[in-house]
Amino acid sequence: MTNPPSARRTTVHDLAELAGTSASTVSAVLNGSWQKRRISERLANHVTRIAEEQGYALNMQARALRRARSGIIGMILPMYDNRYFSSIAQTFEDMARARGLFPIVTCTQRDPRLELAAARSLLAYQVEYLVCTGATDPDRISRLCSAAGVPTINLDLPGSLAPSVISDNFTGARELTRDILDRASVGAAPSPALFIGGRGSDHNTRERLRGFLAAHEERGLRPEPHQILTCGYAATKAAEALSGFVAAGHPLPRGLFVNSTISLEGVIRWFRQPDSPDLGDIRLGCFDWDPFAEMLSDGIVMMRQDVETMLTTLFRLIETGKPEIRRIEVPPIPLRGRRA
Amino acid sequence: MTNPPSARRTTVHDLAELAGTSASTVSAVLNGSWQKRRISERLANHVTRIAEEQGYALNMQARALRRARSGIIGMILPMYDNRYFSSIAQTFEDMARARGLFPIVTCTQRDPRLELAAARSLLAYQVEYLVCTGATDPDRISRLCSAAGVPTINLDLPGSLAPSVISDNFTGARELTRDILDRASVGAAPSPALFIGGRGSDHNTRERLRGFLAAHEERGLRPEPHQILTCGYAATKAAEALSGFVAAGHPLPRGLFVNSTISLEGVIRWFRQPDSPDLGDIRLGCFDWDPFAEMLSDGIVMMRQDVETMLTTLFRLIETGKPEIRRIEVPPIPLRGRRA
DNA sequence: CTGAAAGCGCTTACAG
DNA sequence: CTGAAAGCGCTTACAG
């Protein structure tokens, strides 16, 4: 760590003194509003040069306080360490900066208490907008922000008090399930697939389940309740669920719908245990994408959520001002691993 | 987006008026310093209750301005979307919050210009510390921050103007290479492995290369210069480098040292092309870890960098005040995929 | 036990 | 063309 050499940082007043002018003028020059104020170009250049020489850095806190606008856009996010959420964070940052906003992303581990605490923190830092990604209780956060006059937008999981940009989970899941069932029925009698991962209580899982069932119904198939394992998102939960399924004496279906790469990790680990069946006999589909997972299982189909389009849509909502509360669904993109 | 219902947010003055007291007292109560000021417990409770009723949210910008302390710790990070960096971001956030700091992480895509711009932005928002992760020119950033009196710490890549916490790249790479060479020489004459990925100009790649060569030397082996492919980190670069290597007529070695999971992605894609050799014949080692990659290749060894220890060390440096400039190396942890 | 006042660094009407 | 003044919301010596 380098030591503080200058106790106090350079301010507009320091620059004003050095330039033989006033703080008002310095501020106007530095903000580019000097033309509007009809400040002479000579003085403007002079001030600019001095600011550079002094390595002047604007104090955004002070500006924000005065302007009552921080220029900050906040995002709460369940976690960074899977490809879906990390690409959301990365794309969000890029797009925010491209629009002159300063992005602050905060991880909340799918914990409602942390989500609320993070939202409070971001409000204290005067965010101008808050994006709630995969929030367990987005409406609670919308209410909190609304009381502070801060607009919110939901991403990934919808809410009822703010516009929501989410994947088209129903259509995506139906398409994915069709593919799984078709592959599983090659050289075998058609039979229901297994659904694993996610929370039965969350909107996306419910919609994907609906798509899963719709694809079955098209083929005159009907999964039993025990073939729906909404065991949560954690990898270990998925592995445990599979063990329980087999321990209960159920035969493993040929088709497997995995609801997120997080669950997929647990599923594949389970199949790699010495006494597990061969993964090669299973027709796999996964809602969400990961480049290594895609290469891991021949013929796996992964529904890549279209993060780019989702975030472009989100920023369009922000830019258009105060849009009505509605839900926009963005189709995910199917990607297929090398066929077996 | 929900509409701003209240134009102005509640301030300490509003609370003071409602509580029939002064802003000074409200501030003291809300800060928990009311005992020191010997404010009556009755009044303290009264103020607290009113603040809650009004849903009062502190304006951190104003506090930071007055206190000349923001409570913010910044981090610049090359990217989110691989497991090493995303776990750094996640662990950093958790640890910062646990220490009462507000973390702001910013992606800079290994671009020196973006790194500098991000550092400037974070300085404008008055960060108290800046962590430079994998920065291409950490000293430049240290100088910039030093001028503003902000201490920096380097993570992942070292610099000379601030303490640096990095992986023990030499030892880790030597160990990884030993393993690759040992596996490659089973049932075959010992021969040098191929090194692929990374930048020849960065410290970590140089150190890993040194470990790679040391392990060879122990066995009396000596890789040819054309067997060192420091082609950059991008996945496509690694694939191109392999194509070039083969096109030049070089036989593919049995052992392969891949310098990062990003490069590994390209390497595996290349091996999966129809006319490529069989990956099963290759003994693979990778510096960095990814759970799916670990499961992808039987017997692959992955050096997982010890993010937890690195960040614990980093925060210890911050907490001890102004430590001398030095380099701390944290050993990575070898993880082995299921043996072939 | 408590309040009035000053000031953090900026910006913005306002007045010349 | 430019400057003095006020004020954003907070905290902190200081004075009672």
Side-chain angles (χ1 to χ4, degrees):
Chain A
M1 277 193 292
T2 40
N3 275 26
S6 59
R8 219 174 57 83
R9 303 199 195 174
T10 311
T11 71
V12 282
H13 291 100
D14 301 329
L15 297 180
E17 197 166 348
L18 286 167
T21 181
S22 71
S24 324
T25 300
V26 170
S27 172
V29 169
L30 265 32
N31 281 301
S33 60
W34 58 276
Q35 312 218 48
K36 214 180 79 194
R37 280 181 129 254
R38 299 198 283 167
I39 288 164
S40 69
E41 190 159 355
R42 220 183 125 276
L43 180 53
N45 290 335
H46 184 51
V47 168
T48 308
R49 201 165 47 72
I50 289 184
E52 269 165 23
E53 277 172 18
Q54 299 295 313
Y56 172 75
L58 175 71
N59 184 331
M60 287 298 274
Q61 313 254 33
R63 165 187 280 189
L65 183 58
R66 176 56 233 238
R67 283 204 181 159
R69 296 201 52 184
S70 67
I72 299 175
I73 180 166
M75 170 179 268
I76 65 173
L77 191 75
M79 63 191 75
Y80 287 117
D81 77 345
N82 72 66
R83 294 297 187 118
Y84 174 52
F85 289 129
S86 62
S87 71
I88 286 179
Q90 202 159 306
T91 310
F92 173 71
E93 278 199 9
D94 292 346
M95 289 189 180
R97 265 195 288 272
R99 286 158 179 79
L101 292 164
F102 185 78
I104 300 184
V105 182
T106 264
C107 265
T108 50
Q109 302 165 26
R110 284 194 214 279
D111 175 341
R113 298 166 64 91
L114 281 181
E115 286 168 9
L116 216 57
R120 271 190 228 285
S121 253
L122 290 167
L123 285 177
Y125 280 99
Q126 311 299 110
V127 289
E128 291 186 32
Y129 310 93
L130 183 56
V131 178
C132 302
T133 308
T136 50
D137 191 353
D139 286 349
R140 181 102 190 268
I141 299 172
S142 291
R143 265 192 296 269
L144 180 73
C145 291
S146 170
V150 172
T152 62
I153 305 191
N154 301 310
L155 184 67
D156 181 58
L157 279 175
S160 66
L161 298 176
S164 304
V165 179
I166 66 174
S167 283
D168 185 343
N169 292 293
F170 171 75
T171 308
R174 189 179 56 187
E175 193 179 338
L176 183 58
T177 308
R178 283 174 181 159
D179 191 282
I180 294 169
L181 292 176
D182 288 348
R183 282 182 293 137
S185 65
V186 172
S191 63
L194 189 65
F195 184 103
I196 188 165
R199 294 177 175 173
S201 62
D202 88 32
H203 172 274
N204 291 355
T205 296
R206 280 202 312 274
E207 281 298 289
R208 292 173 196 172
L209 213 37
R210 210 162 60 80
F212 178 78
L213 295 174
H216 279 79
E217 198 167 344
E218 291 169 351
R219 285 154 181 74
L221 296 171
R222 210 183 148 80
E224 304 283 323
H226 72 262
Q227 292 173 320
I228 312 287
L229 304 173
T230 46
C231 54
Y233 285 103
T236 50
K237 294 283 180 194
E240 285 163 21
L242 281 176
S243 293
F245 183 86
V246 169
H250 301 305
L252 211 57
R254 294 194 67 202
L256 190 50
F257 181 116
V258 186
N259 190 17
S260 90
T261 52
I262 307 173
S263 303
L264 182 62
E265 199 185 313
V267 166
I268 295 183
R269 281 201 196 287
W270 185 82
F271 272 102
R272 294 175 68 102
Q273 290 170 357
D275 49 345
S276 288
D278 190 347
L279 185 59
D281 296 335
I282 304 293
R283 301 299 167 254
L284 261 184
C286 180
F287 210 106
D288 265 354
W289 174 81
D290 176 286
F292 286 112
E294 185 193 330
M295 297 190 280
L296 194 50
S297 166
D298 270 355
I300 191 175
V301 173
M302 309 200 84
M303 276 290 163
R304 178 181 198 162
Q305 303 192 62
D306 188 350
V307 168
E308 195 84 11
T309 303
M310 290 167 84
L311 282 167
T312 306
T313 308
L314 185 144
F315 278 103
R316 194 161 357 97
L317 285 177
I318 288 175
E319 282 160 349
T320 34
K322 315 209 177 313
E324 71 274 37
I325 295 170
R326 60 192 173 123
R327 189 176 294 176
I328 301 178
E329 303 200 352
V330 177
I333 300 160
L335 293 173
R336 189 181 303 273
R338 188 169 63 177
R339 279 175 177 283
Chain B
M1 281 194 290
T2 42
N3 275 26
S6 60
R8 218 175 57 82
R9 302 198 197 177
T10 310
T11 72
V12 282
H13 291 100
D14 300 330
L15 297 180
E17 196 165 349
L18 287 167
T21 182
S22 71
S24 324
T25 301
V26 170
S27 173
V29 170
L30 266 31
N31 280 302
S33 61
W34 58 277
Q35 313 216 46
K36 211 181 78 195
R37 280 179 130 258
R38 299 199 283 168
I39 289 165
S40 69
E41 189 159 355
R42 218 184 125 276
L43 180 54
N45 290 334
H46 184 51
V47 168
T48 308
R49 200 165 49 70
I50 288 184
E52 270 166 21
E53 279 172 16
Q54 299 295 313
Y56 172 74
L58 175 71
N59 184 331
M60 287 299 274
Q61 313 255 31
R63 164 187 281 189
L65 182 59
R66 177 55 232 242
R67 283 204 183 160
R69 296 201 52 183
S70 66
I72 299 176
I73 181 166
M75 171 178 267
I76 65 174
L77 190 75
M79 63 190 77
Y80 287 117
D81 79 345
N82 73 64
R83 293 297 187 118
Y84 175 52
F85 289 129
S86 62
S87 71
I88 286 179
Q90 203 160 306
T91 310
F92 174 72
E93 278 200 10
D94 292 346
M95 290 189 179
R97 264 195 289 270
R99 286 157 179 80
L101 292 165
F102 185 78
I104 301 184
V105 182
T106 264
C107 265
T108 50
Q109 303 164 25
R110 284 194 215 279
D111 176 340
R113 299 166 63 90
L114 281 182
E115 286 169 9
L116 216 58
R120 271 190 228 285
S121 251
L122 290 167
L123 285 178
Y125 281 99
Q126 309 300 108
V127 288
E128 290 185 33
Y129 311 93
L130 183 56
V131 179
C132 301
T133 308
T136 50
D137 191 355
D139 286 349
R140 180 102 191 266
I141 297 171
S142 291
R143 264 192 297 271
L144 180 72
C145 291
S146 171
V150 172
T152 61
I153 304 190
N154 301 310
L155 184 67
D156 181 60
L157 280 175
S160 65
L161 299 177
S164 303
V165 179
I166 65 173
S167 282
D168 185 344
N169 293 293
F170 171 75
T171 308
R174 189 179 55 185
E175 194 179 337
L176 183 58
T177 308
R178 282 173 181 161
D179 191 283
I180 295 168
L181 292 176
D182 288 349
R183 283 183 292 139
S185 65
V186 172
S191 64
L194 189 65
F195 185 104
I196 187 164
R199 293 178 178 174
S201 61
D202 87 35
H203 171 274
N204 291 355
T205 296
R206 280 202 312 273
E207 282 298 289
R208 292 174 194 170
L209 215 36
R210 209 162 62 78
F212 178 78
L213 294 174
H216 278 80
E217 197 166 346
E218 291 168 352
R219 285 156 182 72
L221 296 171
R222 209 182 147 81
E224 303 285 324
H226 71 263
Q227 292 173 319
I228 313 286
L229 303 173
T230 46
C231 53
Y233 285 103
T236 50
K237 295 282 180 195
E240 285 164 20
L242 282 175
S243 292
F245 183 85
V246 169
H250 301 305
L252 212 57
R254 292 195 69 201
L256 190 50
F257 182 117
V258 185
N259 190 16
S260 89
T261 52
I262 307 173
S263 303
L264 182 63
E265 199 185 312
V267 166
I268 295 184
R269 281 201 196 287
W270 184 83
F271 273 101
R272 293 175 68 101
Q273 290 171 355
D275 49 344
S276 289
D278 192 348
L279 184 60
D281 297 335
I282 304 293
R283 302 299 166 251
L284 213 47
C286 179
F287 211 107
D288 266 354
W289 175 80
D290 177 284
F292 286 112
E294 185 193 329
M295 297 191 281
L296 193 51
S297 165
D298 270 354
I300 189 174
V301 173
M302 309 200 83
M303 277 290 164
R304 179 183 197 162
Q305 303 193 62
D306 188 351
V307 168
E308 195 85 11
T309 303
M310 291 167 83
L311 283 166
T312 306
T313 307
L314 184 143
F315 278 103
R316 197 166 348 99
L317 286 177
I318 287 176
E319 282 160 352
T320 34
K322 315 210 176 311
E324 72 275 39
I325 295 170
R326 60 191 173 123
R327 190 176 292 177
I328 300 178
E329 303 200 351
V330 177
I333 300 160
L335 293 174
R336 188 182 302 276
R338 188 169 65 176
R339 279 176 177 284

